[in-house]
Amino acid sequence: GYGPPPPPGAAAALTFTLTVWPDWWMNILFITTSLLSLAASMVAGSPPPGMVVGSVSEPLVAADGSEYLIFLPPAWTPDASHPVLLFLHGVGGINNGKGCRNPGLTTQFPLLDPAYASNVEHIVLVPVAQQPNWRHHFASSMALVDMALSELGGDPDRVSIAGQSMGGHGAYLYASQLAPGRFCAVAVMCAYLDEDTPFVDATPAAVAAVIEPLKSTPIWIFHSEQDDSVPPPGRPQDDSEVVIKAFETAGNTAIKYSRYPAGVKPPNYIPGHAAFEFAFHDDGMWPWLSAQKRQATAVSMTPFEILVGLVSVAIASVGGRLRRLAYGVSCIALVCSTVAFLGLMQAEGGLFDSCYSYSFVDVSVEQCREIGARIAAAGALEKGWLALAISKARAENCFALGMGLGALYALLFLSKGTKEVAVVHLMHAGWALSVCAANAQNAGLLSVPAEANIDPASSERLKPFVAIVGVQAVLGVWAFLLSSANGPTKKDKAP
């Protein structure tokens, strides 16, 4: 598989006696096994930097510069499936990541309390707004959701959204207009439906834009009569009872409404605008969120589309849920490719002179040149074959140099285990599979007969090369399938 075949009629002049160099393939197998063990240990590793199991993180910075907080439930593991809650804070949290972490200011779900947190099974995402109106933060907020699904084991069918005040409006907006069908449940506290127009004065089209997409979505609305910022009895657009009736008229039978009378105070009472405190101290809140699951929508698909969908889901379920494994296998495959292409295939110097390429078949440089001289003396046909054989031998080393440099660059600078390196793994896997198949044919391992000039002794000695390249092929295919399911990793860091 590595050197050119003998020319027609020149078998007597060029006899290959293959000898195997055990150190080569043993070293590759040793590196592979060691790195596979490392990859396995990575799967059961700790959470990503800055994230804390069982508590709320300090403010973290996403790739786009926006801040966010994250809570990983006490039972979190990277390869399990977890429900996800996207929580949108009120105006008090704007540019205030520290404040969002303080349960006395804006979020009002005391996840910092271990006793409280022990009953929560959700991954909770809290993006930090940089300006009023959550419309401006839709892309960064949904990027957090995508990260939780692909990197943290979030369940795409159990993603709910909650918000308070300005965040309650954002929850309505996201679930009804900007990402309809994405959330399995909506919980809003002291919220308003429209930031500009009173709900009772809105046009039928404006009302339908919010109500219709949510007419089958479980919704829980919380409001306090003592609210002095968004008072139900004051401004009609904030009257949750009017909103409830609109949802019920549209056919929503999965709606709940908790209205707290004046004088009732929550545990961490903030005067007036306090329904969010009630909500996350309601014993039924988290169980209700946990019970919700997005319902599948019936669609018409061709058999081919169904097949493609099943394959995509299978790849995503492996690659997305086991992203750490994808990272480990990707690293292993790139290390092996770098060693094979830049180390083993360049060690003899075949890049500069083709006669340096044949020591692995026990042909020295002097013997190679002597054999070449005999072939060249045989006639014009043999001279043409020799020129082509020499060119192809050096071309293979040039090809290996490029593949090896690509593997090294990907190993050092690209996001391993993601789509960013999937094409590199595809190229390496394609090369290794074809070389493995060629060697397997000439080793007599396939039903296809070996090439005419391969004698039985040489055929037997090709088998270790099949194993060597086969390992590289398996790693390449595995790395490609795992990596192709993952988008580029977000390089989040604590400020």
Side-chain angles (χ1 to χ4, degrees), residues 208-221:
V210 178
I211 301 297
E212 284 298 315
L214 298 178
K215 64 182 181 181
S216 300
T217 302
I219 301 173
W220 195 343
I221 297 175

Side-chain angles (χ1 to χ4, degrees), residues 194 196-207 235-238 242:
D194 189 296
D196 299 318
T197 307
F199 182 71
V200 294
D201 296 334
T203 64
V207 172
R235 298 187 304 221
Q237 74 268 32
D238 302 325
V242 177

Side-chain angles (χ1 to χ4, degrees), residues 13-28:
L14 185 59
T15 303
F16 289 97
T17 305
L18 289 177
T19 58
V20 181
W21 287 19
D23 288 345
W24 288 15
W25 63 274
M26 286 297 291
N27 287 340
I28 289 181

Side-chain angles (χ1 to χ4, degrees), residues 1 7 26 44 85 106 128 139 144 228 283 379 431 472:
M26 286 297 291
L85 174 66
T106 177
V128 179
L144 287 181
D228 57 4
D283 291 340
W431 174 88
Q472 193 174 353

